[in-house]
């Protein structure tokens, strides 16, 4: 079958352009009609789009991997003490190079976290690629019927080769530590807790040589058997736990339903079994099955009944590229929605609904912000202050999460007389931290300096400023809070290089759930207004996933 | 006891999701075509799936159910960004979910394995171009800039490489599915 013969060139071109995001409305409709009319075309689109997705994932993963390795190497060279972190997930594209002129002030702890995160991203993003890219482990898996699947694994360390997803009879799983969940052909599910050794006998039976497991058998699948050195346990529709100690002593505990426990001597399994029902326990030892008080075999608590995913940290991202007007957001001077939804409380209260200082250029994909004469340092004229942005709680922020705000600003203006722009985080005009570029002093206009400063109660405090940056460069600014500590990274996209600033941490913002972040621009002491171009703006909050929250 | 029920439920959900996630992610990506947006929407969709999991009829196909939820999320998302005119009709969306469901996990795996092999067969400079275009935001424009080429010409190269890969995958799978595996 050759799809090329059947599909028109036009259709294939449209699909290519569709994937590259280059179709206009009329072409989208044309493609829609062609796809609706032809199942073969849909078949092709699904597979061609999959190729496109896989290429993306693989390339991103490769880059993340390369960055991670680079950082690890750098880390080793610095031979810094390893500071343990809780492995918070960071978007590696927001990473801050530590090789700028101010490397000594950058946060090595953060780069460690980034490396871990990148490895994580790599593992998540490419697990299938690495696995399926390798040749299949022998042809055995292709010929012998699969009787069980490894469906979940947590912190597992295997004594021999790690089992592949599907497994055949005769296979022995030697788990040193961790939890592994195995699904049998008959539908039974076993959670094996390491250290343990389990031999797969058939689609409805397994031999527990030592260690502990819990088996859950759905209704119609009863008859599932766990064989032990001392006998066997036959399920009659239930959930039960089995523990085999090093000397072979077998303990059984029934959570729900009914099982039959049989003893064995000299390899002969006794035909008479003992029935056990909910919350009953027994021991099989020395050729006999004996009822035991629940406490004597450790009770229900010793068995792990399900693998619960550990809390996962998930980045939630808000991103604007200014290609579209977005209704219901702060309007520019012509009434187009900028996409930004909030202002730092205490600022911009008397700006018009169609803000004369903002202009959204959707063709160029940029927002232009003209600074105003607001003066946050003295809390003056803040009614016209341009402090635009996002409320973090809209992204699931509750007070403790890590977050970052990033903006790309091409062709930076020559600032004059304390003119300034940059990024902020805070709860009010007099409770915030901000940083970016400032012209410090009245002389030498255009000598832009990087700065970072706190404001707690009106006056600016803890000011730190450093370096000179020529006007006309492209900068990417990132203000982030990781593990409670703020930093500002200024990346010079025109000639490479980056620096990261930190100042005394604004404790007054710690744990504050209602934070706003965004960008600002001001010409506090002169009438010289400057226009900033903002190319991309994004905010990320690293939240705990809900399934983790639900499970505790 | 309550905690046990929730734990079992969340393990069950995780199991369903693990089986469907790759295809669900691909499906969303085929609709929005931006990885960052796909991440967001995938996350939003899974949150909703989890919240509604109690209502999920276990007789139904989880993947189809998930795609139905994703469809509404994608539509809302694109509407909010003023991009709904560049989105497929409802009719086509339903047909695509159907077509997507017809692709087996086995085929998906085989295609990926074949893709990995096919990428290795590419000329070095084609592989490099793929990496640049797919590896970064605005990768095509940057790749064009670096080479002093027009973006359109890079798009043309990409189109050629992608189609070659697609053909290569089809050939690889046809060669590997020797008779005898199906017993």
């Amino acid at each position: 079958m050759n799809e090329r013969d059947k599909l028109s060139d036009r259709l294939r071109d449209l699909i290519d352009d569709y994937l590259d995001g280059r179709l206009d409305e009329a072409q989208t409709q044309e493609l829609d009609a062609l796809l609706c009319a032809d199942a073969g075309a849909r078949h092709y689109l699904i597979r061609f789009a999959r190729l496109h997705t896989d290429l993306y994932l693989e390339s991103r993963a490769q880059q993340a991997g390369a960055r991670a390795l680079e950082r690890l190497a750098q880390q080793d060279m610095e031979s810094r003490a390893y500071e343990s972190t809780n492995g918070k997930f960071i978007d590696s594209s927001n990473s801050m190079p530590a090789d700028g002129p101010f490397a000594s002030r950058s946060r090595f702890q953060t780069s460690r976290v980034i490396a871990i995160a990148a490895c994580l991203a790599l593992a998540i993003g490419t697990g299938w690629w690495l696995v399926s890219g390798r040749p299949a482990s022998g042809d055995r898996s292709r010929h012998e019927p699969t009787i069980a699947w490894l469906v979940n694994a947590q912190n597992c360390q295997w004594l021999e080769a790690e089992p592949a997803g599907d497994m055949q009879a005769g296979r022995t799983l030697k788990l040193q530590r961790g939890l592994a969940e195995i699904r049998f052909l008959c539908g039974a599910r076993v959670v094996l807790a390491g250290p343990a050794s389990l031999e797969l006998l058939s689609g409805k039976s397994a031999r527990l040589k030592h260690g502990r497991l819990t088996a859950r058998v759905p209704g119609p699948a009863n008859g599932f058997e766990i064989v032990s050195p001392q006998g066997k346990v036959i399920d009659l529709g239930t959930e039960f736990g089995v523990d085999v100690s090093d000397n072979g002593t077998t303990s059984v505990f029934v959570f729900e339903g009914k099982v039959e426990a049989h003893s064995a001597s000299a390899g002969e399994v006794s035909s008479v079994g003992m029935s056990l029902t909910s919350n009953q326990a027994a021991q099989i030892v020395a050729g006999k099955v004996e009822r035991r008080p629940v406490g004597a075999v450790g009770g229900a608590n010793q068995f792990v009944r399900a693998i619960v995913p550990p809390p996962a940290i998930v980045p939630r991202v808000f991103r604007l590229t200014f290609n579209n007007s977005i209704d219901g957001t702060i309007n520019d001077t012509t009434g187009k929605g900028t996409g930004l939804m909030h202002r730092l409380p205490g600022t911009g209260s008397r700006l018009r609904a169609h803000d004369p200082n903002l202009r959204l250029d959707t063709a160029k994909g940029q927002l232009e912000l003209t600074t105003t004469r607001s003066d946050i340092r003295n809390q003056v004229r803040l009614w016209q202050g341009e402090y635009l942005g996002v409320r973090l709680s809209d992204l699931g922020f509750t007070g403790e999460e890590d977050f970052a705000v990033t903006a790309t600003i091409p062709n930076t203006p020559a600032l004059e007389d304390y003119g300034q722009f940059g990024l902020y985080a805070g709860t009010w005009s007099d409770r915030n931290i901000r940083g970016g570029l400032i012209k410090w002093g009245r002389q030498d206009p255009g000598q832009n300096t990087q700065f970072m400063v706190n404001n707690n109660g009106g006056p600016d405090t803890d000011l730190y400023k450093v370096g000179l940056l020529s006007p006309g460069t492209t900068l990417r600014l990132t203000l982030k809070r990781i593990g409670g500590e703020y930093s500002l990274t200024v990346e010079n996209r025109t000639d490479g290089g980056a620096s990261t600033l930190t100042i005394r941490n604004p404790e007054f913002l710690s744990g504050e759930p209602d934070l706003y972040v965004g960008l600002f621009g001001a010409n506090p002491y002169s009438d010289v207004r400057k226009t900033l171009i903002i190319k991309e703006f994004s905010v990320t909050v690293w939240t705990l996933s809900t399934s983790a929250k639900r499970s505790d | 006891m309550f905690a046990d029920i929730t734990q079992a439920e969340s393990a069950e959900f995780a199991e369903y999701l693990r089986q469907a996630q790759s295809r669900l992610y691909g499906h969303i990506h085929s609709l929005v075509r931006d990885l960052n947006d796909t991440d967001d929407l995938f996350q939003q969709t899974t949150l909703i799936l989890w919240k509604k999991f109690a209502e999920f009829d276990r007789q139904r196909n989880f993947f189809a159910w998930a795609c139905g939820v994703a469809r509404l999320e994608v539509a809302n998302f694109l509407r909010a960004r003023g991009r709904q005119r560049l989105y497929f009709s409802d009719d086509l969306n339903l047909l695509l979910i159907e077509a997507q469901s017809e692709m087996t996990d086995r085929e998906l795996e085989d295609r990926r394995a074949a893709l990995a092999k096919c990428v290795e067969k590419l000329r070095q400079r084609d592989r490099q171009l793929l990496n640049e275009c797919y590896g970064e935001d605005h990768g095509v424009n940057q790749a064009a800039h670096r080479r002093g080429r027009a973006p359109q010409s890079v798009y043309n190269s990409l189109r050629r490489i992608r189609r070659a890969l697609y053909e290569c995958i089809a050939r690889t799978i046809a060669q590997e599915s020797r008779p005898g595996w199906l017993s």
Side-chain angles (χ1 to χ4, degrees), chain A residues 187-233:
Chain A
R189 279 161 184 278
V190 164
V191 176
L192 187 66
S197 175
L198 183 75
E199 182 186 352
L200 308 176
L201 300 175
S202 73
K204 50 181 289 193
S205 61
R207 173 179 291 124
L208 183 62
K209 295 177 174 172
H210 71 89
R212 193 171 286 165
L213 62 74
T214 305
R216 184 153 50 95
V217 186
N222 55 35
F224 181 71
E225 291 181 6
I226 294 291
V227 179
S228 89
Q230 295 280 352
K232 69 177 176 184
V233 180

Side-chain angles (χ1 to χ4, degrees), chain A residues 91-142:
Chain A
D91 175 359
S92 50
S93 66
N94 288 344
S95 60
M96 29 179 150
D99 52 1
F102 310 106
S104 61
R105 292 188 63 85
S106 76
R107 312 206 68 79
F108 288 90
Q109 187 180 347
T110 308
S111 74
R112 179 84 202 181
V113 179
I114 289 166
I116 294 168
C119 293
L120 252 177
L122 196 66
I124 294 165
T126 61
W128 56 264
W129 187 282
L130 296 174
V131 171
S132 54
R134 272 188 225 136
S137 52
D139 269 343
R140 179 189 167 90
S141 56
R142 298 284 192 187

Side-chain angles (χ1 to χ4, degrees), chain B residues 41-59:
Chain B
L41 283 163
F42 179 81
Q43 190 196 335
Q44 246 165 275
T45 303
T46 51
L47 284 184
I48 293 171
L49 293 174
W50 168 236
K51 281 186 200 147
K52 293 192 173 173
F53 189 53
E55 300 163 24
F56 170 60
D57 175 357
R58 306 295 197 270
Q59 305 301 315

Side-chain angles (χ1 to χ4, degrees), chain A residues 333-445:
Chain A
T333 179
T334 64
K336 282 188 278 195
T338 58
L340 296 163
M341 284 173 289
H342 293 276
R343 293 177 181 277
L344 176 64
T347 68
S349 57
R350 278 154 60 192
L351 288 167
R352 271 183 300 213
H354 290 187
D355 188 334
N357 310 312
L358 298 177
R359 204 176 80 80
L360 181 69
D361 187 336
T362 53
K364 288 187 183 159
Q366 64 190 36
L367 175 67
E368 293 161 21
L369 164 64
T370 303
T371 61
T372 62
R373 207 173 166 173
S374 70
D375 176 9
I376 199 163
R377 179 168 172 259
N378 296 302
Q379 299 284 306
V380 179
R381 291 181 298 276
L382 286 171
W383 57 268
Q384 59 171 342
E386 290 291 0
Y387 283 76
L388 306 137
V390 168
R391 189 169 62 194
L392 286 182
S393 58
D394 292 346
L395 292 168
F397 183 78
T398 63
E400 304 299 332
E401 292 85 354
D402 292 350
F403 63 83
V405 49
T406 295
T408 301
I409 300 175
N411 196 14
T412 49
L415 300 169
E416 295 180 37
D417 200 1
Y418 296 94
Q420 53 193 273
F421 69 85
L423 303 172
Y424 70 84
T427 58
W428 199 263
S429 65
D430 63 357
R431 271 163 65 80
N432 55 67
I433 181 168
R434 72 182 196 280
L437 258 54
I438 189 169
K439 169 62 200 71
W440 192 258
R442 301 186 159 221
Q443 313 299 317
D444 306 318

Side-chain angles (χ1 to χ4, degrees), chain A residues 513-524:
Chain A
D514 203 18
L515 276 185
Y516 293 75
V517 300
L519 43 96
F520 72 92
N523 46 293

Side-chain angles (χ1 to χ4, degrees), chain B residues 127-175:
Chain B
R127 220 168 28 220
Q128 171 71 20
L129 186 71
L130 270 190
N131 257 333
E132 287 179 37
C133 292
Y134 281 95
E136 305 161 17
D137 293 331
H138 313 299
V140 172
N141 288 334
Q142 288 185 25
H145 183 71
R146 277 187 209 117
R147 288 167 176 72
R149 286 167 60 181
Q152 178 61 47
S153 119
V154 172
Y155 276 118
N156 290 343
S157 302
L158 258 192
R159 175 176 298 202
R160 171 182 59 74
I161 299 169
R162 272 199 306 241
R163 290 185 185 180
L165 284 175
Y166 189 84
E167 303 288 332
C168 172
I169 291 171
R171 272 198 313 275
T172 308
I173 290 178
Q175 277 166 16

